[in-house]
Amino acid sequence: RRDWLTPAEIGYRAAASALSDLAAVAAEPMALLLSIGARADEPDDTFTSLADGVGDAASDAGALIVGGDLSRAESLIVDVCVIGRASAAVGRRGARPGDRLVVTGPLGGPLAALAAWLAGGTPSPEARARFVRPAPRHAAARFLEANRARAMIDISDGLTSDLGHLLVASGVGARVDVERIPVLPLARAAAEAAGEAAW
C-alpha cells in the first residue's frame, strides 16, 4: 500500500520477501534482478528510491543487483528474482516424527503493524520497522542446516499457514505448545487490545 510505505520501503520489502525464499532452503544469496513496471507519469524519484530500497536489502543479505528491466504498466509493479547457491538445499519434505520445531526469532511485529494500519491507525515504530524491513535469516538458516535441520520453510505468510505447507510436504503432523511461541511484547499488547490470544 503506497499510503503506508515509501518507495524505498516498498523496494526493501519486495527484495527481502524474495531473498527470504533463499533462506528458506539455506541457500546463500548471490544476486538479484529487479524489474519495475510503472505508469508514464510516475516521478523519476520513485524509481531511484525503489532501487535504493532493493539495494539496501540486497546488501543486508550479501547479494548484488546484477540487472533488471523497466517497463510501462497501469500500476506500480516491483518484481524481484533472486539467485543463490546451496551445496544441498534443505527443502520442506524432510521432517520426521520426533523433530523439534524451531523459529529464528520472536513473531508478530508485522501483524501488529498491519492491524494498526487496517484499523486506520499508525503502527508503533518497532512494529512498522518489523513490517518494512524484515531481518534477513540467511545466517540462521545456514546454522540450522549445519546442525542437521531436515526441513525448513520461511514463515512470511504466517506460522500456521507455512507450518501446514511443511507438514503436508513431509507427510507428518505437529503438536505446537502455543505458550512457547516467542511473541514480541508489542505484538502481545496488540493482541490483548484486540481481545485475542497472542498466538
Side-chain angles (χ1 to χ4, degrees), residues 23-194:
V25 295
E28 178 185 354
M30 297 172 57
L32 57 83
L33 301 160
L34 169 63
S35 296
I36 301 173
R39 293 168 51 98
D41 59 355
E42 189 71 50
D44 289 346
D45 288 352
T46 300
F47 306 117
T48 304
S49 295
L50 273 168
D52 285 346
V54 171
D56 287 348
S59 177
D60 288 351
L64 299 171
I65 300 175
V66 296
D69 189 35
L70 180 60
S71 60
R72 296 251 190 270
E74 288 303 308
S75 61
L76 184 64
I77 299 168
V78 181
D79 181 54
V80 180
C81 174
V82 294
I83 302 164
R85 70 172 161 226
S87 54
V90 180
R92 302 176 181 187
R93 300 177 191 269
R96 298 179 194 157
D99 284 352
R100 181 176 298 168
L101 293 171
V102 177
V103 294
T104 59
L107 309 178
L111 182 57
L114 186 61
W117 276 314
L118 291 173
T122 302
S124 72
E126 185 183 358
R128 189 178 192 285
R130 290 277 184 150
F131 184 90
V132 171
R133 293 180 75 97
R137 300 294 187 189
H138 307 284
R142 289 194 294 272
F143 172 84
L144 291 169
E145 176 197 29
N147 285 277
R148 300 188 310 267
R150 286 193 278 260
M152 291 196 297
I153 191 169
D154 73 329
I155 55 171
S156 55
D157 292 332
L159 177 62
T160 302
S161 175
D162 287 320
L163 175 58
H165 297 316
L166 186 146
L167 297 176
V168 168
S170 293
V172 296
R175 185 175 7 197
V176 177
D177 180 350
V178 295
E179 298 304 321
R180 295 186 65 192
I181 297 172
V183 178
L184 284 168
L186 67 93
R188 190 173 299 282
E192 288 169 0

Side-chain angles (χ1 to χ4, degrees), residues 4-29:
W4 294 351
L5 306 179
T6 67
E9 291 169 339
I10 291 170
Y12 192 100
R13 187 163 167 76
S17 176
L19 287 160
S20 182
D21 289 337
L22 294 177
V25 295
E28 178 185 354

